[in-house]
Amino acid sequence: MFGKKKDRAASVDVQQLVSDTDTGGRKPGPWMQKLLLVVAVAWSLFQLWIASPLPFSLGVFVLNDTESRAIHLAFAVFLAFMAYPAFKRSPRDHVPLTDWVFAVVGAFCAAYLFLFYRDLAQRPGQPTEMDVYAAVLGVVLLLEATRRVLGLPMVIVAVIFLVYTFGGPYMPDMIAHRGASLNRAASHYWLTTEGVFGIALGVSSGFIFLFVLFGSLLDKAGAGNYFIKSAFALLGHMRGGPAKAAVVSSAATGIISGSSIANVVTTGTFTIPLMKRVGYRPDQAGAVEVSSSVNGQIMPPVMGAAAFLMVEYVGIPYTQVIKHAFLPAIISYIALFYIVHLEALKGGMTGLPRRGGGTAMQRLLSFGMTVAGFIILSGLVYWGIGWIKAALGDAAIWVIGAGLLAAYIGLLWYGARQPELELDDPNAPVFELPETGPTLKSGLHYLLSVVVLIWCLMVEQMSPGLSAFWATMFMIFILLTQRPIQAAFRGRGDWLGAARQGVADLVDGLATGARNMIGIGVATAAAGLIVGTVSLTGVGLVMTELVEALSGGNLMLMLVLVAVISLVLGMGLPTTANYIVVSTLMAPVVVELGAQSGLIVPLIAVHLFVFYFGLMADVTPPVGLASFAAAAVARTDPIKTGVTAFWYSMRTAILPFLFIFNTQLLLIGITSVWHLILTIVSATVAMLVFAAATQGWFLVRNRWYETLALLLVTFTLFRPGFWWDMVFPPYEEAPAVELMRFAETAPRNANKRIWVEGLTLEGKEVRKGVLLPLGEPGSARERLAQAGLRVVPMGDELQIIMVQFGSTAEKLGLEQGWRITGIEMPTDRPPKEWMFVPALALLSLVVWSQRRRARQTPPAAPKAAAA
C-alpha cells in the first residue's frame, strides 16, 4: 500500500516538473482554462495562416516578417504570464490580477512594432518617449516571462549583457567600450531587427512553431504510443531489451518532441521501470533515458529547432544542414545502443518474454521482407510520382493527392485488422512483449505524414516552413478522419462520437503545440538581447581576444576552452536559446583563432561544435533538468543519475573534436559512393570501439592496455589524417591568382582553402586561412560574387575590393582591402584511409586476446527479469 502511494507521488512529482517546465504549472478554473485554450488555438491558427499561401492569394492580412515576429512574441508573452506562476508559492488555481496586468501590458509592448509599424518606419533611429517607455517596459516584462518559463540562468546571462552595454566605459581595459545611451539601446534592442525581433525570433515564428505543432499533432494522433510499442516489440526480447527499446523509442519520439524533459517523461515512465526489472541500477535506467532523450536534440530534421537557426547563421540550405548533422547523430545513437548492450553483458541480463511464437529465423525473415517491401515501395512511389508529374504537368497534383488519400485509407484498413495499441502497466507483475507484426502494422498510416514532410523538403525543394505547413495540414486531416474511419472498419458504428473525439484531439493538439512553444518563443526573444549586445558593443571581438590570451595560441587548448565555455553558457538554457548564445559568442572565436592557427574548417562544423557542447549542459550536474526528471521516475539520486548520464554521453562529447579535424564525418569532401560507405562504416566502428573502451568491457572485461589500444584504434579510425599528414603533406601553397582558374572549373558547391592578410579596423595585422565556398558553376567572378567577394589581380595576389554585407565572405571574417596571398592545392598522395589497416590489425589483436580469455572464463548466469 505504502509502495503504491510512493509510486503515485513520484508520478505526480514528474508530471508537475514537466508541467512547470514545458507547458506551465497553473491549473485555473473552467472559464480561465477555456480562455487559455482559445488563445493557444488562436496562436496556432495564426501561425498556420501566415505560413500558408492564402494571405497572398486572397490579399487578406498579409504581414511582413517584422509584423509576424511581433504578433508571435505577443502571444508567447501573454501565455507565459497566464500559464506560469511567478513563484512556487503563487496560486495555481486562478490567475492573480498582477499577472493579468503583466500579460496584457507585455503583449502590448511585444506587439508594438505591429501596432505602430508605419510610424516607426518613418522615424528610424529617432525613438519618441513612448517608444522608449514601451521598449524598457517590454524588456523588463520579457525578462520576467523568461524567468517564469525558463528559470534564472537565461535571465542572468541576459542581464549581464545588458549591464555590459550600459557599463562599457567602466569596465576593465580589455573589455571596455564607449557604452550606449538609453535611447540608442532601446531602439537597437526593441525597435529594430538587430535585437529581440532579430533572426532568432524570426526563425521561431517562421519555422520552429510549425515543426513543434506538427510534432504535437502527431503525438496527439497516437504516434508516440506507436513508436514506443514498436520499439519494444522489435527489441524488448534482447539482452537488456527495455534499455535498447528506450534508445530507439526516444530517437523516434525526439522527432516529435522538441523537449528533452518531455521526451524523458513520455518514454521514461514506461521504459525506466522495465529497465530496472531486467537488472539495470536505478541511476543507469534513468541515465539511459536521459542520454537517449537529450540526443534527440542532435537528431535531424529538427535538432531541437537549432537546424533552422543554422540555416540563417551559417548561410546554407536546410537540406545541407540535415546532411551534415545526420552521420554524427546516427553513430551517437548506435554507440548508446551498444553501451546498454555492454551493461547488459556485464550484468548478465536477459530480455522480456515474448507474447507470440515463431523462431528467430522466421522473425528475421519477416523483418527483412518488410524492409525490402518498404524499399521497393519507396522506389515505385518516387519514380511513379516523377513520371506522373512529367506526364500530367499541373494536373499531377490532383492525381498525387488521390493516391495519397487511397494509401491513407488502405493503411487504416490494414491497421484496423490488428489489435488496438494500449500501453501496458510497466509495474505489473507480469509483462509480455507485444507481437511484432501486428504492432508494426497497426500504425503505418502515421508514417505518411512524415513522408509528406520529407517529400516536400527533399524532393519538391520547398522551404522548411512551407513543408511543415503541408505536413501539418495532412496531420490535421488525419486527426479529423482516423477515428471515424477506424470505427467503420472495426464495425463499431459510433461514427459521430468518433468524429467528435477527433475534433477534440485536434483542438487539444493545436493548444498543446502552442503551449509547447511558449518557452521557445520567449527564449529566442531573450537571446536576441545577447545577439543585440554583440552587434552594439563588439563583445564578440573581446571574447576572441580573451580565449586567445588564455590559450596562448595553442589550438587544442583553444578548442577545449571554447567547449568548456559553451558547456557553462548552456547550463539551464533550452536547446534553442542555448544554440543562439553559444553560436553568437563562441563560433566566431573558433573561426578566427582556428584560421590563424591553420585550422580551416567549414562554418557548419564550427557551429555544430559549439552546439554539441552547449547541449551537454542538459545532462551535466547540477543543472540538467532531464536528469532530475529521469531520477524522479527511477526514484534515485538526480546527481548520481546525471553523472552516469554524462559518462554515457562521452561518445557525444568527443564527436565535435573529431569532425572539426575530419570533416568527412559531416559528409563533406566525399568523392564517391564507396568513399561514403567507407566513411560511414569506419566512423560507426570507431564509435563502437570507443564505447567499449570507456565502458571497460569489449568481449570480456578490458585490461588497462587493451583500453589504451582501443582508444588508439578509435582515434585512428576517426582521424586517419593525423598520422598520414606526418608522412604525406595534404596541401601545397599556390599563387593566389590560381583561384580564378580553379573557380572556372571547380564542381558545384566546391570549397577552396585560401590565405588572406590585412589590417583590421582596429589596426591589427592578421594572417589567416579560410575555406571559401564557390557555390553554383559559372565564371570565376560570378562564383566569387556568390560568396560575397569582388577581387582584382595584383601580381600573384588578389586584392579584395568589396565584401558584400551579410554574405558568406563577411561571416568568414574577410574585410575590404585585404589581400588573398595564396591558395592551398591538394597534393597527389595515397588515400589516408590506408591507416585503417594497422588500426584494424590492432583491433584484431585485442579481439583475439579477449576471445582467448573468454574461453577460459565460465559465463555468468543470466539474470531473469524480475516478476
Side-chain angles (χ1 to χ4, degrees):
M1 185 71 150
F2 178 75
K4 289 183 179 178
K5 288 182 180 179
K6 189 175 180 181
D7 288 349
R8 284 197 296 269
S11 176
V12 169
D13 290 344
V14 173
Q15 296 300 332
Q16 187 64 45
L17 175 63
V18 177
S19 180
D20 289 347
T21 305
D22 282 343
T23 58
R26 185 168 278 155
K27 305 294 182 186
W31 73 272
M32 180 57 66
Q33 286 187 359
K34 290 180 181 177
L35 174 65
L36 293 180
L37 178 70
V38 169
V39 175
V41 171
W43 190 10
S44 291
L45 294 177
F46 165 74
Q47 296 292 156
L48 287 171
W49 172 264
I50 63 174
S52 74
L54 289 177
F56 300 97
S57 301
L58 302 176
V60 178
F61 200 49
V62 180
L63 303 175
N64 60 35
D65 289 343
T66 304
E67 294 171 314
S68 300
R69 295 172 191 180
I71 297 175
H72 176 81
L73 182 59
F75 272 114
V77 170
F78 181 85
L79 288 173
F81 283 112
M82 300 297 281
Y84 288 82
F87 305 102
K88 289 184 178 180
R89 297 179 181 178
S90 298
R92 282 168 165 73
D93 58 348
H94 69 277
V95 181
L97 179 61
T98 52
D99 285 359
W100 271 101
V101 173
F102 288 164
V104 173
V105 175
F108 170 78
C109 293
Y112 194 80
L113 263 71
F114 166 72
L115 297 172
F116 303 101
Y117 184 79
R118 291 180 180 274
D119 294 338
L120 292 169
Q122 293 173 359
R123 45 182 169 81
Q126 298 176 333
T128 64
E129 286 189 8
M130 180 65 178
D131 296 342
V132 175
Y133 290 149
V136 172
L137 200 55
V139 169
V140 171
L141 291 175
L142 173 61
L143 290 175
E144 169 59 14
T146 304
R147 183 193 66 81
R148 294 189 182 199
V149 178
L150 306 176
L152 276 175
M154 185 72 191
V155 177
I156 292 172
V157 173
V159 168
I160 288 173
F161 277 82
L162 288 173
V163 169
Y164 178 74
T165 298
F166 294 107
Y170 312 103
M171 296 289 170
D173 289 343
M174 187 174 183
I175 61 173
H177 64 95
R178 65 180 182 179
S181 65
L182 181 62
N183 281 13
R184 186 183 176 208
S187 177
H188 188 82
Y189 285 125
W190 203 260
L191 304 179
T192 71
T193 55
E194 294 292 323
V196 170
F197 298 95
I199 290 175
L201 189 63
V203 172
S204 175
S205 172
F207 301 150
I208 299 175
F209 191 104
L210 292 171
F211 278 86
V212 171
L213 179 60
F214 172 73
S216 173
L217 296 176
L218 193 59
D219 186 44
K220 189 58 63 178
N225 181 22
Y226 172 69
F227 290 152
I228 295 173
K229 294 288 278 189
S230 297
F232 269 87
L234 286 169
L235 305 168
H237 65 285
M238 297 180 176
R239 280 184 178 270
K244 294 173 181 175
V247 173
V248 174
S249 59
S250 292
T253 54
I255 298 173
I256 299 175
S257 170
S259 165
S260 54
I261 298 172
N263 200 346
V264 165
V265 175
T266 301
T267 58
T269 50
F270 186 71
T271 59
I272 289 175
L274 292 176
M275 283 190 267
K276 291 167 62 179
R277 177 180 297 186
V278 299
Y280 288 94
R281 296 194 316 265
D283 64 292
Q284 288 178 326
V288 169
E289 188 58 52
V290 170
S291 300
S292 53
S293 296
V294 171
N295 262 31
Q297 308 298 292
I298 66 173
M299 175 65 75
V302 178
M303 298 170 61
F308 312 112
L309 291 162
M310 288 182 188
V311 170
E312 301 296 329
Y313 289 168
V314 181
I316 61 176
Y318 175 70
T319 51
Q320 291 290 313
V321 173
I322 294 176
K323 184 188 83 170
H324 296 320
F326 180 74
L327 181 57
I330 288 296
I331 63 175
S332 186
Y333 262 114
I334 292 173
L336 181 59
F337 190 92
Y338 185 53
I339 285 172
V340 300
H341 177 70
L342 292 176
E343 293 286 8
L345 286 176
K346 286 191 281 186
M349 303 175 197
T350 60
L352 295 170
R354 282 188 175 277
R355 184 174 300 169
T359 65
M361 183 56 69
Q362 288 173 334
R363 291 193 294 269
L364 182 63
L365 182 62
S366 175
F367 180 73
M369 291 180 65
T370 303
V371 172
F374 271 120
I375 294 174
I376 294 171
L377 182 61
S378 300
L380 290 175
V381 169
Y382 179 80
W383 297 111
I385 291 180
W387 177 82
I388 291 172
K389 290 173 67 176
L392 300 181
D394 293 339
I397 186 65
W398 300 104
V399 177
I400 295 171
L404 182 64
L405 179 61
Y408 169 62
I409 295 175
L411 289 176
L412 278 178
W413 172 81
Y414 191 53
R417 301 174 63 190
Q418 317 303 324
E420 289 192 72
L421 285 183
E422 292 183 4
L423 280 178
D424 299 329
D425 181 6
N427 294 302
V430 177
F431 182 91
E432 290 182 334
L433 295 173
E435 296 182 47
T436 306
T439 302
L440 294 177
K441 296 171 186 174
S442 63
L444 291 175
H445 64 284
Y446 296 127
L447 302 180
L448 282 178
S449 58
V450 181
V451 169
V452 170
L453 175 63
I454 295 174
W455 182 274
C456 291
L457 280 172
M458 302 296 187
V459 180
E460 300 295 337
Q461 296 288 307
M462 294 182 184
S463 68
L466 192 57
S467 300
F469 168 76
W470 289 117
T472 302
M473 294 305 295
F474 187 68
M475 270 311 308
I476 291 174
F477 173 73
I478 289 177
L479 275 168
L480 291 175
T481 59
Q482 69 169 351
R483 287 183 181 274
I485 295 174
Q486 285 174 333
F489 286 148
R490 293 181 187 273
R492 290 177 181 162
D494 186 16
W495 298 355
L496 188 58
R500 287 200 197 98
Q501 185 60 47
V503 173
D505 288 343
L506 172 60
V507 172
D508 194 14
L510 291 171
T512 303
R515 295 195 54 159
N516 288 341
M517 271 300 300
I518 297 173
I520 297 176
V522 298
T524 50
L529 296 172
I530 299 166
V531 176
T533 300
V534 172
S535 60
L536 187 62
T537 65
V539 69
L541 181 62
V542 172
M543 293 296 296
T544 302
E545 293 175 347
L546 180 62
V547 173
E548 183 179 19
L550 292 174
S551 65
N554 183 284
L555 181 59
M556 278 306 299
L557 184 56
M558 180 269 292
L559 290 174
V560 170
L561 282 172
V562 170
V564 171
I565 295 172
S566 298
L567 188 65
V568 172
L569 287 173
M571 284 188 176
L573 303 187
T575 304
T576 313
N578 177 341
Y579 171 66
I580 297 169
V581 173
V582 296
S583 64
T584 302
L585 293 177
M586 303 317 301
V589 175
V590 179
V591 171
E592 186 64 29
L593 297 183
Q596 294 178 23
S597 303
L599 177 66
I600 306 174
V601 293
L603 201 54
I604 183 65
V606 176
H607 279 254
L608 286 173
F609 179 90
V610 297
F611 175 59
Y612 269 53
F613 278 104
L615 275 183
M616 289 297 291
D618 282 357
V619 299
T620 307
V623 180
L625 289 177
S627 297
F628 278 83
V633 178
R635 295 197 296 279
T636 187
D637 179 25
I639 300 299
K640 187 177 181 181
T641 302
V643 171
T644 307
F646 182 79
W647 188 250
Y648 287 167
S649 300
M650 284 296 293
R651 75 206 186 285
T652 307
I654 69 160
L655 276 173
F657 285 100
L658 295 169
F659 60 58
I660 278 286
F661 292 103
N662 182 12
T663 54
Q664 288 176 0
L665 295 175
L666 303 180
L667 302 184
I668 296 172
I670 303 297
T671 57
S672 66
V673 174
W674 290 111
H675 193 191
L676 173 64
I677 294 172
L678 183 62
T679 300
I680 294 173
V681 171
S682 63
T684 304
V685 171
M687 187 55 80
L688 296 179
V689 173
F690 178 76
T694 54
Q695 292 304 303
W697 190 285
F698 193 19
L699 304 179
V700 294
R701 191 171 300 281
N702 297 341
R703 291 173 176 167
W704 67 268
Y705 54 84
E706 290 174 334
T707 296
L708 291 178
L710 291 175
L711 290 174
L712 181 60
V713 170
T714 300
F715 181 76
T716 304
L717 291 177
F718 268 131
R719 197 186 167 196
F722 178 81
W723 311 108
W724 209 238
D725 293 349
M726 295 179 181
V727 183
F728 303 100
Y731 297 102
E732 59 183 7
E733 193 163 329
V737 290
E738 290 292 311
L739 177 63
M740 307 300 286
R741 182 186 61 79
F742 176 83
E744 293 278 359
T745 58
R748 172 178 295 160
N749 295 325
N751 296 289
K752 178 46 57 183
R753 298 163 64 96
I754 65 173
W755 285 93
V756 296
E757 294 181 6
L759 284 173
T760 66
L761 293 176
E762 294 77 24
K764 182 181 178 181
E765 183 72 33
V766 172
R767 184 180 189 273
K768 65 178 183 178
V770 297
L771 195 65
L772 185 69
L774 296 176
E776 298 295 321
S779 68
R781 296 190 181 278
E782 289 173 346
R783 301 194 76 173
L784 291 179
Q786 291 178 41
L789 278 182
R790 285 183 60 190
V791 299
V792 294
M794 291 185 61
D796 287 341
E797 298 179 347
L798 294 174
Q799 182 81 26
I800 299 175
I801 60 173
M802 190 197 75
V803 177
Q804 185 176 339
F805 178 75
S807 66
T808 304
E810 187 194 43
K811 292 176 182 177
L812 291 172
L814 302 183
E815 295 184 15
Q816 182 177 329
W818 286 11
R819 307 183 317 280
I820 302 177
T821 58
I823 65 171
E824 291 187 350
M825 302 295 289
T827 58
D828 186 13
R829 65 172 188 166
K832 62 183 179 183
E833 285 76 15
W834 278 109
M835 284 304 304
F836 292 166
V837 175
L840 294 176
L842 181 57
L843 180 61
S844 301
L845 184 62
V846 175
V847 170
W848 173 80
S849 173
Q850 293 209 355
R851 274 189 174 174
R852 187 180 64 171
R853 206 157 65 246
R855 285 194 295 267
Q856 299 170 354
T857 306
K863 296 180 183 177

